[in-house]
Amino acid sequence: MLILVTGGTGYIGSHICVEMLNEGHSVIIVDNLANSDRAVVDRIEQITGKRPLFYEADVTDAKYMDLIFSTHYIDGVIHLAGLKAVGESVEKPLLYYQNNVLGTIVLAEQCLKHGVGKFVFSSSATVYGDNPSPLIETMELRSAANPYGQTKAMSEQILKDAANVNPEFAVALLRYFNPVGAHPSGLIGEAPRGIPNNLMPYITQVARGKLAELKVFGGDYPTPDGTGVRDYLHVVDLAKGHLAALEKLNPGVEVYNLGTGRGTSVLELVHAFAEATGIKIPYSIGPRRPGDLAVVYADPAKAKAELDWEAQYGIVDMCRDAWNFEKNFS
Ligand code: NAD
Ligand code: UD1
């Protein structure tokens, strides 16, 4: 298949490109480089021996997208391009709605116009809001706490409505839990600009000496050690989930959780990092981060049953590979 991967030079997108190319698919990347570097295209080639076609373009640019869809016979789209910083989305809601929601509309329109029947969308566990874990696809969604989360819920709805009236349109909405880690080659991974918002890149930057210590956001949650619990999954497992979803797509809309089903606390992750790397992370326990939930983890049974997909890596692997990338590339 020829797959258009939007956001393909980004953290998750680059790993998806590697898995797609390794499986013999052809890949076109569209990315405006708002949060990534064109050198990632070279690294994807270094890992796979195959070079994806790269367009530096904005997915909200309908004319440019029309040109790309007219030039290539595209079999399917994996739409990852989007802005993802929760705090920034509160500061700049219109930017987030414009970029993330319009991007989804433009790409869905192009698919329908050019007869591209397969669409895989990067959604997030954030759409479950404060539903209790384990989170199951059949749960009614609860309002996400910030504009970023809203853009994911809105994009899901837009794609459902479009598929409703276009019976040939096959859509998979993939709700990611907490992707971490990096490709075992150490050539691609997560390279956030500025101070990281998320836990794993914060830990690797403390390990590197770029940041003094980890601030643990809350030690009084109703969890075994009082710190927040999340479902971390290796980014390579997540990438493989996209391949599985694309191969099994049927007309209509299916929603899948991509998570491990296992919860890990902040302190458990800190200890796993020490086990994987020998580096002890200095930390102090501070106040909770506004908007955070105590416990978030997936029920991954549907993806296992229907996609034959299951996460393979554990948290020590995730820590080892995240650190390997941090040492190599930043
Ligand atoms: P990322 O920032 O590394 O990748 C996103 C890519 O999209 C970047 O390369 C950026 O330059 C590009 N981009 C942004 N807006 C664009 C536009 N208008 N046109 C073209 N390119 C554009 O982020 P990521 O972690 O790889 O996330 C990929 C997707 O997965 C995002 O949609 C994100 O919301 C979603 N997601 C991520 C997580 C996570 O924890 N990383 C969790 C749930 C969902
Ligand atoms: C964050 C986003 C969420 C997004 C998800 C996956 C927020 C409020 N939420 O959630 O929308 O879908 O990432 O990308 O940003 N932690 C610390 N110290 C830190 C950083 C994090 O203790 O410096 C804790 C958090 O309180 C949490 C856990 O580590 O318990 C994981 O945090 P993070 O990596 O930011 O992911 P989420 O909170 O799941």
Side-chain angles (χ1 to χ4, degrees), residues 231-245:
D231 186 341
Y232 299 97
L233 87 153
H234 198 294
V235 65
V236 170
D237 278 329
L238 177 65
K240 289 182 174 160
H242 291 71
L243 218 76

Side-chain angles (χ1 to χ4, degrees), residues 57-122:
D58 196 302
V59 294
T60 63
D61 183 342
K63 274 195 183 152
Y64 203 152
M65 291 308 111
D66 197 10
L67 183 68
I68 294 172
F69 277 76
S70 305
T71 308
H72 304 279
Y73 187 85
I74 293 167
D75 294 294
V77 172
I78 301 179
H79 176 37
L80 300 112
L83 299 171
K84 63 164 184 177
V86 171
E88 185 187 51
S89 82
V90 175
E91 303 293 316
K92 301 175 182 169
L94 301 184
L95 172 68
Y96 272 67
Y97 288 117
Q98 151 78 22
N99 194 73
N100 293 7
V101 179
L102 185 57
T104 301
I105 294 173
V106 166
L107 287 163
E109 269 177 339
Q110 293 304 320
C111 284
L112 296 174
K113 178 174 175 188
H114 295 276
V116 177
K118 295 175 196 291
F119 198 103
V120 175
F121 176 64
S122 292

Side-chain angles (χ1 to χ4, degrees), residues 84-87 123-127 146 148-149 176-180 190 196-203 213-218 221 227-232 264-266 269 284 287-294 296:
K84 63 164 184 177
V86 171
S123 190
S124 165
T126 192
V127 299
N146 51 71
Y148 165 72
Y176 308 164
F177 282 71
N178 289 61
V180 296
E190 188 170 15
N197 299 310
N198 298 113
L199 180 59
M200 183 67 98
Y202 206 102
I203 288 177
E213 66 163 13
L214 171 69
K215 302 257 184 315
V216 178
F217 297 149
Y221 284 109
T227 67
V229 166
R230 295 292 182 273
D231 186 341
Y232 299 97
T264 301
S265 75
V266 175
L269 196 67
S284 64
R288 295 180 179 189
R289 180 171 63 181
D292 270 1
L293 298 167
V296 181

